[in-house]
Amino acid sequence: MGVLMSKRQTVEQVQKEVQEEKEAEASAPVVQEESSINRAAWERLRDGRGVEPEEFDRTSRFTPPAFIRPTRKLDDDKPPDICLEPREPVVNDEMCDICEVWTAESLFPCRVCTRVFHDGCLRRMGYLQGDSAVEVTEMAHTETGWSCYYCDNLNLLLTEEEMYSLTETFQRCKVIPDCSLTLEDFVRYRHQAAKRGESSRALTDEQEEQAARQFAALDPEQRGHIEWSDFLSHESLLLLLQLRPQNSLLRLLTVKERERARATFLARGRGSTISEAECHHARHSWFCKRLTEAPSCSVSISHVGPIADSSPAASSGKSQEKALLPTEQESRYVDWPTFLRENVIYILAARPNSGAIHLKPPG
C-alpha cells in the first residue's frame, strides 16, 4: 500500500522528500508544474498546516492493499474478559488509513473498526465507484454508519486453513466463483455441501425450507438471485460457526461492536439480566434495514445496532416480533455473558454494507 505521509515521519524525512521532488523536477521538465504542486503540499505538511488528499495526484501510489489473513492464537478459545461495566471508550483514528495524513476536513469513520478515510483516497483505491460515493457521504456520519473495505468483507475473518476448507467445498460442489446464484443453485449447493455417504438427498424438507428462507434473506430486493459477495459472506459465517468455539468468535468483536452490545443489554435488560424475549429481539435488531422506498434515502444498508425505541420503525418492528415470540420466553432471563455468546455471530453478520441478511436468526 502506498504511503503518503507516515505517522512516524520526521520533519527531516519530509524535507528529504522535498529535495527528491526538486531533483525529479530538474531531470524531468515536463512534470515541472506537477512537482511544484506536490512540493508545496509537502511543505505545508512540514509546517504543520495539513494537506488535502486531492493535492496529491500520484495514482501509482494508491494501490489496493494485500490482505493478510488472520492466524488463530493458542489461547483464543479461552473466555475473553468482556465485562458489562465499565464501558470502553471508543476513539476513532486521527489519520486516514490509506494515506496516513491528517486534515481538518471530514474523515469518513468505519462503523465497525476505528479506521477513518478520505473520500478522495477511497476513490483512488477504487472503493468508491458510482452511487457508492453518495452512499458513503450520506451514511458514514449517521447512526447506521458505513463499513470500510476491511470490515465489509466477512471472508477476511477466515484463516488460510479455513479458506482452504471453504474452497475445497466449493470445488466439490462445482460452485463457480464470482457468479450470482439462483434459489435452485443455492438449494442444490446446500444439498451437496451437507451430503453424507451415498445419499442423494442430504437435507430434510424442513432444512430445505430453512435454506429457502435464508436465500430470501440474502435477496431482500427479490431479484431472484444473490450476489457472490453475499453468498461468500454467508458461507464464511457458517464455517466460523462450524470450526470456531464461541470464545474465539467473541475475540473478533471490535470495541465499537462490544459497546453497542452493552448499550443494547443495558437499555433492554433489567440490571444484570435480560429476558429471553428481548435477547431474541436483539438478534433480529442488528439487521434492521432502512426502507428502500423511504424518500429521504435511496440506499439499503445493514443497521449495526438496535434502532431507538422511540422511533416509529422500532415500534412497528417490535410489535411484529412480539407476535412471533413464544410467551414462555417472557419469564426466562439470561445474563450478560450468555447474551453476548448468543448474539456474537449475528453482530458479526451485520458488518457488511449490503442490505442482505447474511445469517438469518431463527424465528
Side-chain angles (χ1 to χ4, degrees):
M1 178 173 66
V3 177
L4 295 184
M5 180 62 180
S6 171
K7 298 170 185 174
R8 294 178 296 275
Q9 266 187 314
T10 62
V11 171
E12 288 75 17
Q13 288 173 309
V14 175
Q15 291 172 337
K16 180 181 178 181
E17 182 74 18
V18 173
Q19 182 62 32
E20 291 175 353
E21 292 287 358
K22 291 179 179 179
E23 294 172 357
E25 180 181 351
S27 60
V30 292
V31 294
Q32 179 175 0
E33 182 179 355
E34 178 183 356
S35 297
S36 176
I37 295 174
N38 290 340
R39 185 172 68 251
W42 284 112
E43 289 173 351
R44 287 183 60 193
L45 279 175
R46 178 196 61 196
D47 299 337
R49 290 178 290 166
V51 63
E52 300 301 329
E54 287 75 11
E55 293 188 70
F56 293 92
D57 189 17
R58 301 177 180 184
T59 307
S60 61
R61 293 196 179 187
F62 286 81
T63 56
F67 295 111
I68 300 177
R69 292 196 173 274
T71 56
R72 291 184 59 184
K73 298 181 180 179
L74 295 176
D75 61 346
D76 78 341
D77 59 342
K78 296 181 180 179
D81 185 19
I82 306 178
C83 302
L84 182 59
E85 298 287 354
R87 306 289 291 272
E88 296 180 78
V90 178
V91 181
N92 286 324
D93 297 343
E94 294 183 350
M95 297 187 181
C96 172
D97 189 72
I98 296 175
C99 70
E100 295 186 326
V101 170
W102 179 89
T103 68
E105 294 298 318
S106 176
L107 292 167
F108 295 110
C110 175
R111 66 184 178 189
V112 178
C113 65
T114 58
R115 299 182 183 95
V116 295
F117 302 85
H118 293 121
D119 61 337
C121 293
L122 290 171
R123 287 191 181 93
R124 287 184 175 89
M125 295 284 285
Y127 293 117
L128 289 187
Q129 298 178 359
D131 295 338
S132 62
V134 179
E135 177 181 319
V136 172
T137 303
E138 292 182 349
M139 307 305 294
H141 295 289
T142 66
E143 183 183 4
T144 298
W146 162 82
S147 293
C148 70
Y149 49 86
Y150 292 101
C151 302
D152 182 57
N153 188 351
L154 296 178
N155 184 253
L156 294 179
L157 295 176
L158 301 184
T159 63
E160 290 286 356
E161 296 77 11
E162 291 165 341
M163 187 59 202
Y164 180 79
S165 174
L166 185 60
T167 302
E168 277 195 327
T169 302
F170 288 162
Q171 292 175 344
R172 175 168 57 87
C173 299
K174 297 181 173 58
V175 174
I176 303 176
D178 298 317
C179 292
S180 59
L181 287 82
T182 64
L183 174 59
E184 182 180 357
D185 297 331
F186 184 74
V187 173
R188 184 190 306 115
Y189 166 78
R190 292 256 49 94
H191 275 291
Q192 294 174 340
K195 189 179 296 184
R196 297 292 183 271
E198 299 298 326
S199 174
S200 60
R201 184 177 179 83
L203 300 182
T204 64
D205 291 340
E206 181 180 355
Q207 289 173 328
E208 189 170 312
E209 291 178 2
Q210 183 179 356
R213 289 193 295 269
Q214 178 61 67
F215 179 89
L218 290 170
D219 181 26
E221 298 179 3
Q222 300 180 354
R223 294 174 297 180
H225 66 271
I226 57 178
E227 299 298 332
W228 170 257
S229 58
D230 292 325
F231 172 72
L232 185 60
S233 289
H234 170 68
E235 292 302 315
S236 300
L237 287 168
L238 291 183
L239 192 63
L240 286 174
L241 274 176
Q242 176 185 344
L243 300 180
R244 301 274 191 104
Q246 281 189 320
N247 289 331
S248 179
L249 296 179
L250 288 172
R251 293 181 182 276
L252 297 177
L253 295 178
T254 66
V255 60
K256 290 184 178 181
E257 291 172 322
R258 295 193 297 269
E259 272 302 288
R260 290 191 185 101
R262 288 188 181 96
T264 302
F265 185 90
L266 293 173
R268 299 186 177 277
R270 299 179 181 179
S272 60
T273 60
I274 189 172
S275 70
E276 183 95 1
E278 290 292 356
C279 186
H280 177 98
H281 176 73
R283 283 196 291 271
H284 287 267
S285 67
W286 304 115
F287 301 101
C288 289
K289 309 293 179 180
R290 288 181 177 269
L291 299 177
T292 55
E293 63 270 15
S296 60
C297 182
S298 61
V299 295
S300 176
I301 276 189
S302 297
H303 187 72
V304 292
I307 292 178
D309 291 339
S310 58
S311 69
S315 300
S316 97
K318 183 180 289 187
S319 62
Q320 292 175 4
E321 287 189 14
K322 289 266 185 193
L324 300 174
L325 296 177
T327 54
E328 58 268 21
Q329 288 186 356
E330 296 290 345
S331 59
R332 297 167 57 190
Y333 286 83
V334 298
D335 58 10
W336 164 247
T338 303
F339 171 83
L340 203 55
R341 286 195 301 270
E342 293 184 359
N343 278 274
V344 58
I345 194 64
Y346 301 109
I347 296 174
L348 294 174
R351 285 184 176 186
N353 292 313
S354 166
I357 297 178
H358 295 93
L359 192 63
K360 181 175 175 60

